[in-house]
Amino acid sequence: MFNSLSQHHGHGLKSPALRAASSLLLAGAMAALLPAVAAASVPFHVLDNPADPNFNQLLGINDGGVIVGYFGDGNVIANNGYVLVPQNHYAVDNFTNLPSGDTASQTQAIGINNRVFPDIVGFYTDALTGFTNGFLDASGVQTTIDDPAGTPPNVAATNQNLLGINDRGKAAGFWIDNQNLEHGFVVVNIGNPASRKFVEIPPRLFPGAVATQASGINDHDDVCGFWTDAKGSNHGFYGHLGGIYRTFNVRLSGVKVISTSAFGCNDRGEIVGSFTDAKGAVHGFTDRGGRFTRYDAPGSSQFPAFNVSGTLVNGVDEEGDIVGFFSDGTKVDGFVRIATAGR
């Protein structure tokens, strides 16, 4: 099954003081986030954290241009989440809200919304239990968020991700069952334990599906993601939460597409992700109202680096700016492409 993320596991902590500093960084920079990138009138930028120039994934972007992602392949260097105000203001965002003596061995920051103090979602791995849990970082306060359907005794071990969050307190993600198959869900009222609830997006909603992943949710409560068939091919889906989800596959003239994975969507209905062609090559895509555009990051290579090939587009803001990552043949680089250069 092809997932949106390289799921590895690692270390790295952030103190409460640093968490507070991260929130202050976000608030103070909101008025001048993108100019450092956009002023150069260059639409494409490789942005790699100096802590690991060999492996970066940029996964989410909000309308202010704040980006979330992580460095570290999970083996040589652990996954370390971060918040990036382009071009080079990196703030650590590793999960630390654990009992004394416990740590997060890996963290990925994946989704971000547009609140004044943006909410961030992702996942971390608990060093003591080995469980992987979703998390919410709201104004510097970190909370574990897991769908009960994917926790013991329903499964042998918790393995969950949160991938996208809107401005209305809803977040999309998935949990993994005992057969290592994904089950998509959306959590509603994520910041309020008293009214928090989980809406399942199970495989049974899609004929032929064995697994589902909910990747993103916009402010209209439209959900994007993908389902996986018994042959291991993915198919994108999009639709209103609790309603009917339509299946789609990338359509490009002269190209046979064998797998489509939707990773993000904005309020305009634009969907981004990746697809695999008949030759096994991986390309990014954008979908604007059924008009598909292939996107290959400049310098991208189909030669795998750290098990990543080609280009993957993982996040999109309301302006159509996109973030993602690509293999250049030797390392994995994060990138941002600005839709309107110089704005």
Side-chain angles (χ1 to χ4, degrees), residues 15 20 51 62-63 109 116 120 122-123 137-138 149 156 166 168 198-199 203 215 253 290 305 309 319 329 337:
S15 68
N62 71 9
D63 294 348
V116 174
I120 296 169
F123 73 83
D137 189 335
N166 68 12
R168 301 174 181 269
F198 293 83
V199 180
S215 304
S253 178
S309 301
E319 298 291 339
R337 187 200 68 182

Side-chain angles (χ1 to χ4, degrees), residues 51-214:
D52 182 6
N54 293 313
F55 189 99
N56 279 257
Q57 293 190 5
L58 301 185
L59 302 177
I61 183 170
N62 71 9
D63 294 348
V66 182
I67 296 169
V68 290
Y70 76 102
F71 71 81
D73 71 301
N75 293 314
V76 178
I77 298 177
N79 296 166
N80 284 263
Y82 58 76
V83 182
L84 165 62
V85 181
Q87 291 200 43
N88 57 5
H89 299 283
Y90 292 90
V92 179
D93 196 25
N94 287 325
F95 193 84
T96 62
N97 188 16
L98 289 164
S100 177
D102 197 1
T103 62
S105 61
Q106 311 272 354
T107 304
Q108 293 186 19
I110 303 170
I112 185 170
N113 65 16
N114 295 306
R115 292 182 175 178
V116 174
F117 289 90
D119 297 321
I120 296 169
V121 294
F123 73 83
Y124 71 93
T125 298
D126 183 335
L128 288 184
T129 65
F131 289 176
T132 296
N133 311 88
F135 77 85
L136 167 70
D137 189 335
S139 299
V141 177
Q142 298 176 325
T143 306
T144 298
I145 305 291
D146 286 329
D147 184 344
T151 59
N154 298 316
V155 296
T158 301
N159 192 346
Q160 306 204 16
N161 287 195
L162 288 178
L163 305 177
I165 184 167
N166 68 12
D167 298 337
R168 301 174 181 269
K170 299 183 179 72
F174 66 90
W175 56 268
I176 296 179
D177 65 22
N178 292 334
Q179 285 71 49
N180 202 35
L181 297 173
E182 298 174 358
H183 299 253
F185 68 85
V186 169
V187 53
V188 179
N189 296 326
I190 189 171
N192 188 341
S195 59
R196 184 184 301 147
K197 66 176 182 178
F198 293 83
V199 180
E200 305 299 321
I201 305 178
R204 61 177 172 76
L205 295 181
F206 306 95
V210 298
T212 53
Q213 174 176 305

Side-chain angles (χ1 to χ4, degrees), residues 296-314:
D296 295 301
S300 65
S301 170
Q302 294 301 324
F303 190 83
F306 298 95
N307 297 316
V308 173
S309 301
T311 298
L312 296 90
V313 182
N314 213 84

